[in-house]
Amino acid sequence: MAITRDDVLKALSTVTVDGGGTTLPGSGRLSQVLIDPGNRVMFSILIDPSEAERFEPVRREAEGRVLALPGVSSVLASLTAERASSAPAAGAAPRPPAGPGTPPPRQGNAQGNALPGVRHIVAVASGKGGVGKSTTACNLALALSAQGLKVGLLDADIYGPSVPKLLGLSGKPRVIEGKILEPLQAYGLKAMSIGLLIEPESAMIWRGPMVQSAITQMLRDVAWGELDVLVVDMPPGTGDAQLTMAQATPLSGAVIVSTPQDLALIDARRGVTMFRKVSVPILGVIENMATFICPNCGAASAIFGHGGARHEAERLEVPFLGEIPLTMAIRETSDAGRPVVATDPDGPQAKVYREIAEKLWGNLTGAPAGRAAPRIVIE
Ligand code: ADP
C-alpha cells in the first residue's frame, strides 16, 4: 500500500510539542516529509542545539507514530538545528528555532562524545569519487579484522553507498530493542550501510544537516557492540556536507585515498586540509591504482604516473601508508561482493592491504604494527 504525505502528517499531528500546546506539523519545526518508493519515510525536526535532549522523546514518539502506519517499512526521523529546506515545510511556515548562520549541532568531535564500546572510529575519505575509496575502506576493514581486531564497517557514502555490493549484502537490517538496528555480518565484519536503509535516490536530495543526522543515527542507533575500530566510508569530496560530517562524527583519525594523478592529488590535499580544519588527525594517505598489474604477464606499469601520493604526503607532512596496485583481481572481487582480503587472504593483494592496515593501526594506537592490543577478560 502506498503511503502519502498526508497519512504521515496526520500521524504526526498526534504528536505535540512545546508543552502540549501545538502539534508537530503545526509547530513549524517539521521539515519536508520524504517518502521513497520502498515506503521509507524521512523527516527531521528543527531544534536549537540546546533543545536536543528535550526533543529526543518527541523524535522517538514521532518515529513510532509513523512506523505504526500500515505499509510504512521504516522511518528515519532526526533532530536538526539548521533550516531544513527551502521547500515548503509541512503544515506551517518553517520557523527555524536557531537564527540563520547558527552552526549545526556538534554531536561529537575528535576529542569527545565517542561511541560507547567502540575504541576508534576511522574515516576513509577521498577528495573525489571513483578513486577506490570504498574498495579500500572495505579491504582495510577486513585486513584489520585479519589482525584479530573486532571491526565494523559503516557505509556513510550517502550519495553512492557501495558497501552492500562490496560485501555482497542485501536485505534490511533487523530492528532490535525498539529503534536499534542490528548490523549485518559479512566476512567477520559488522556492517551497516545507508544503502540498506533507504533508496539511494532519496539521499541525493538530502541537504547537509539531514545527511549528518542520518550518519549520527547510524552511529548511535546501531548495535555495534564492542569494536576495536569502526571504519567509516565517507562520502567523497571536501564540501560543506563532508566538513560538517567530519566535525559531527567522533573520529579518531582519517585516511585519505588518492590515485597518483595530479588532479586527484589536489583533491587529496583538500581532504587533508578539511580534516585539519576540524582537528581530526590524519592517519595517512594511501595511493590506490598506483601501478597497473597486467593480468597476462604480471608486468607492472605506472599508467597514472606513480609515487605522486607518497610525495604529496611528505609535502603535507602526513604519514604515507602504502600503495595499492590496479589489478583485475581487486576490481572483479569488489564488484562481485567477494573482497580480495577475505577471499584470497594469502594472495599478493591481501598482503598489500594487510601491510597498510598494520601501519594504520600503529599510527592509530602507537601499538607495534600487526599487534592487536591485549584484551582483558574478566571472568
Ligand atoms: P569510490 O568509493 O572512490 O567511488 P570505488 O571503491 O567504488 O571508488 O571504486 C571504483 C571502481 O574502481 C570499482 O569498480 C572498483 O572495483 C575499482 N577499483 C578500486 N580500487 C581498485 C584497484 N586497486 N584495482 C582495480 N580496481 C579497483
Side-chain angles (χ1 to χ4, degrees), residues 354-379:
R354 268 204 316 273
E355 284 171 1
I356 292 177
E358 284 172 11
K359 273 196 205 152
L360 169 63
W361 184 250
N363 291 353
L364 188 61
T365 60
R371 294 259 313 273
R375 190 174 293 283
I376 300 165
V377 180
I378 300 168
E379 308 225 346

Side-chain angles (χ1 to χ4, degrees), residues 82-320:
E82 204 187 89
R83 198 187 290 265
S85 169
S86 52
R95 176 175 60 82
T102 303
R106 284 182 66 92
Q107 278 129 335
N109 55 41
Q111 284 80 40
N113 212 354
L115 213 57
V118 178
R119 287 172 66 197
H120 300 286
I121 304 181
V122 172
V124 177
S126 64
K128 63 168 191 173
V131 299
K133 169 184 55 63
S134 302
T135 305
T136 307
C138 177
N139 279 298
L140 269 186
L142 289 164
L144 286 163
S145 168
Q147 286 185 47
L149 298 167
K150 290 189 173 171
V151 185
L153 179 60
L154 169 57
D155 183 4
D157 189 347
I158 210 139
Y159 303 117
S162 44
V163 166
K165 189 179 83 174
L166 283 164
L167 291 177
L169 294 171
S170 60
K172 276 184 56 191
R174 219 163 56 93
V175 179
I176 46 174
E177 299 165 33
K179 60 171 186 148
I180 303 295
L181 294 174
E182 187 177 45
L184 299 185
Q185 297 273 348
Y187 303 107
L189 298 179
K190 286 183 182 169
M192 181 55 67
S193 168
I194 191 78
L196 298 168
L197 304 175
I198 53 152
E199 298 294 330
E201 299 80 55
S202 355
M204 294 302 284
I205 56 170
W206 288 7
R207 293 176 70 256
M210 284 187 85
V211 172
Q212 181 200 325
S213 301
I215 309 301
T216 309
Q217 246 181 299
M218 285 200 300
L219 284 169
R220 201 190 46 194
D221 294 347
V222 170
W224 290 110
E226 295 282 320
L227 289 182
D228 293 305
V229 54
L230 177 62
V231 176
V232 183
D233 183 10
M234 302 280 280
T238 50
D240 282 350
Q242 285 85 357
L243 183 70
T244 315
M245 214 177 112
Q247 197 170 23
T249 312
L251 295 172
S252 309
V255 173
I256 313 277
V257 180
S258 178
T259 58
Q261 296 109 313
D262 289 347
L263 280 177
L265 291 169
I266 294 171
D267 289 313
R269 202 173 306 153
R270 289 204 187 104
V272 169
T273 309
M274 178 181 88
F275 284 107
R276 280 188 172 151
K277 223 183 246 178
V278 290
S279 307
V280 171
I282 308 288
L283 300 167
V285 171
I286 297 173
E287 184 168 286
N288 189 35
M289 310 191 191
T291 50
F292 171 66
I293 309 292
C294 171
N296 300 317
C297 67
S301 44
I303 51 175
F304 298 133
H306 177 219
R310 181 191 290 272
H311 292 139
E312 196 57 29
E314 277 167 15
R315 221 176 59 78
L316 296 168
E317 297 179 349
V318 294
F320 182 68

Side-chain angles (χ1 to χ4, degrees), residues 129-135 288-289 324-327 330-331 334-335:
V131 299
K133 169 184 55 63
S134 302
T135 305
N288 189 35
M289 310 191 191
I324 303 163
L326 172 67
T327 70
I330 295 180
R331 201 202 59 72
S334 333
D335 294 351

